[in-house]
Amino acid sequence: MSDNERVTLAFSGGLDTTVCVPLLEEEYGYDEVVGVTVDVGQPAEEFAEAEETAEALDLEHYVVDAKAEFADLCFDAVRANASYQGYPLGTALARPVIAAAILEVAEREGCTGLAHGCTGKGNDQLRFEAVWRDSEMEVIAPVRELGLTRSFEQEYAAERNLPVSGGDEGKYSIDTNLWSRSIEGSELEEPSYVPGEEIYEWTTAPGEETLELEIGFENGYPVSLDGNEMEPVELVEELNDVAGAYGVGRSDIMEDRMLGLKVRENYEHPAATVLLNAHRALEDLVLTKEERAFKGRVDHEWSEKGYQGLVNAPLVGALEAFIEKTQTRVTGTVTIRLEGGQARPVGRDSTYAVYSAEASSFDTEDVMGGIEQADATGVAKYHGFQERLANSIIDGQE
Ligand code: ARG
């Protein structure tokens, strides 16, 4: 290696990434480590922890604000009704945004390597590296490559006097951003274990109260709450607060990871639940039956690529071309009632509604274009013709 090789590390200030700092010098021969924390809406304490730890480590450290970009991607996910096995993809969608922001800093800072603190068991290693391996940089995963365990990391940190926040990060592994908060590890790993209220931070247990909200959409993008136009970041933050107080957006699922492991996951995502439910309700009003059915398949594929962290795949571009075409009519408002931990659509309105009160009503003589009730007689005669014929043949054979 030539003189003064620098490596950029995705840095959170937690135990994994803290031990990575000396390891990148000692085990990988780098002269300098640059830490980068990307803001995708984590709580303020996490930045304070990253800053403090970086300072104590004497680490060159940058914070990059990618909240707006991340929120835009979350809203693309809303247009795709994105969910993977019941999970609205908060962590998954954040990774390519974080990876790209880190790569940018690495290039700016003249680094030749990129490192993350992910283990070899999860999805995040794959999502980060899918972006990074598109560059010339060396990609390093110390935790995975050196087979580090938590207890080794704790001992290593203690031996070297590394600043690990009191040595205790709580018993769960938490990943928080604008779109979701994930809680895993410890006894939650056991699928039969019933978690208590203590695992939740964004949501309170649903009570008796209810609240109605009106969400406005333009071209499939959420744009307003109760008539007030809001930027994506602001809208998501507000809805997380409002709907979280009604216990909306908790999920406890069995998730099939990319490597094939099945794991138990708990999530909180109040804003995602409200916006996804509202968006789907508006699509139900303005899209034809065939569009709804076909879009379900497109949405499923979008969600798979989103889970894999491959939102830049050509397939996603092609799926989005279809989605874009459908969303030109997804403009209007949806009333959502927060009740019993649910966010239920209770009203919807759009000038693009594929709905004719006249045609569907029981009270009018004429349907559009002079079609009369009696015109259905022919259809009714044919309906089930093939089934009746098939059954008579089957009966004749018995
Ligand atoms: N299983 C989710 C995913 O792969 C979330 C993982 C979050 N990580 C964590 N340490 N809680 O997207």
Side-chain angles (χ1 to χ4, degrees):
M1 233 173 229
S2 66
D3 274 2
N4 211 30
E5 292 282 344
R6 285 154 67 81
V7 58
T8 297
L9 168 68
F11 185 75
S12 69
L15 180 62
D16 289 317
T17 57
T18 298
V19 301
C20 282
V21 175
L23 286 172
L24 285 167
E25 293 168 0
E26 289 163 23
E27 299 291 325
Y28 292 89
Y30 278 93
D31 302 298
E32 276 166 6
V33 182
V34 176
V36 180
T37 308
V38 180
D39 184 353
V40 282
Q42 303 91 314
E45 312 90 75
E46 290 191 20
F47 296 103
E49 187 192 359
E51 301 272 12
E52 272 166 37
T53 313
E55 205 164 300
L57 284 166
D58 207 14
L59 175 70
E60 180 178 340
H61 179 238
Y62 301 98
V63 175
V64 180
D65 183 354
K67 282 200 295 294
E69 201 189 330
F70 177 52
D72 287 347
L73 181 58
C74 293
F75 280 14
D76 288 335
V78 169
R79 300 209 317 169
N81 299 312
S83 150
Y84 176 83
Q85 300 182 332
Y87 154 50
L89 302 174
T91 297
L93 296 178
R95 292 308 177 257
V97 173
I98 295 172
I102 287 175
L103 177 57
E104 237 180 85
V105 175
E107 281 167 350
R108 186 190 74 203
E109 294 300 318
C111 294
T112 53
L114 293 160
H116 62 69
C118 306
T119 71
K121 292 195 172 177
N123 295 318
D124 287 341
Q125 52 174 341
L126 307 178
R127 297 168 179 150
F128 275 125
E129 293 181 34
V131 175
W132 289 352
R133 289 186 188 277
D134 205 19
S135 76
E136 298 290 299
M137 308 245 178
E138 184 190 16
V139 175
I140 308 160
V143 177
R144 179 182 74 205
E145 288 156 8
L146 305 173
L148 306 188
T149 60
R150 255 194 117 61
S151 47
F152 170 88
E153 290 177 0
Q154 273 152 352
E155 264 172 52
Y156 181 89
E159 262 168 37
R160 290 174 191 242
N161 229 348
L162 298 180
V164 281
S165 51
D168 179 25
E169 303 189 327
K171 66 179 172 177
Y172 302 120
S173 167
I174 312 274
D175 184 64
T176 311
N177 61 46
L178 273 180
W179 205 231
S180 66
R181 175 172 180 271
S182 107
I183 316 118
E184 33 178 50
S186 193
E187 67 270 6
L188 294 176
E189 287 174 357
E190 174 53 57
S192 64
Y193 175 80
V194 180
E197 281 299 313
E198 71 279 0
I199 71 163
Y200 302 110
E201 239 170 56
W202 283 10
T203 55
T204 49
E208 295 292 308
E209 311 81 60
T210 70
L211 181 72
E212 279 176 17
L213 302 174
E214 190 191 81
I215 310 291
F217 288 88
E218 251 166 53
N219 298 319
Y221 289 119
V223 292
S224 66
L225 171 60
D226 293 333
N228 301 313
E229 287 197 9
M230 286 177 154
E231 289 300 311
V233 173
E234 194 193 355
L235 179 56
V236 172
E237 285 175 344
E238 176 72 12
L239 281 175
N240 275 333
D241 282 349
V242 173
Y246 289 80
V248 166
R250 291 180 171 184
S251 39
D252 181 335
I253 62 170
M254 293 310 302
E255 183 174 308
D256 293 296
R257 283 193 189 156
M258 280 186 262
L259 293 177
L261 301 173
K262 195 183 275 296
V263 290
R264 194 269 188 91
E265 297 277 357
N266 280 275
Y267 296 104
E268 297 181 277
H269 40 78
T273 296
V274 170
L275 295 176
L276 287 164
N277 291 0
H279 177 265
R280 197 184 284 274
L282 194 54
E283 282 194 340
D284 293 350
L285 180 68
V286 303
L287 300 185
T288 63
K289 176 180 170 174
E290 277 81 10
E291 285 177 308
R292 287 169 68 181
F294 189 75
K295 187 164 184 294
R297 288 150 68 185
V298 170
D299 292 347
H300 176 81
E301 295 304 321
W302 196 103
S303 303
E304 289 286 324
K305 299 315 277 181
Y307 187 70
Q308 295 165 6
L310 300 178
V311 286
N312 298 315
L315 175 64
V316 174
L319 297 171
E320 286 183 347
F322 172 83
I323 293 174
E324 173 65 32
K325 189 85 180 164
T326 59
Q327 300 302 293
T328 54
R329 287 170 281 143
V330 187
T331 293
T333 57
V334 176
T335 306
I336 290 283
R337 183 179 295 150
L338 310 179
E339 180 173 37
Q342 306 294 311
R344 202 158 54 84
V346 291
R348 65 287 278 159
D349 184 39
S350 171
T351 50
Y352 297 97
V354 184
Y355 173 75
S356 155
E358 259 175 303
S360 309
S361 168
F362 298 111
D363 295 328
T364 50
E365 251 316 297
D366 262 20
V367 183
M368 292 173 301
I371 307 172
E372 291 167 11
Q373 240 195 97
D375 292 332
T377 307
V379 179
K381 284 181 179 170
Y382 270 107
H383 187 65
F385 172 78
Q386 194 174 91
E387 286 76 8
R388 288 193 292 275
L389 181 60
N391 282 333
S392 74
I393 292 164
I394 295 164
D395 290 346
Q397 279 173 348
E398 276 166 6

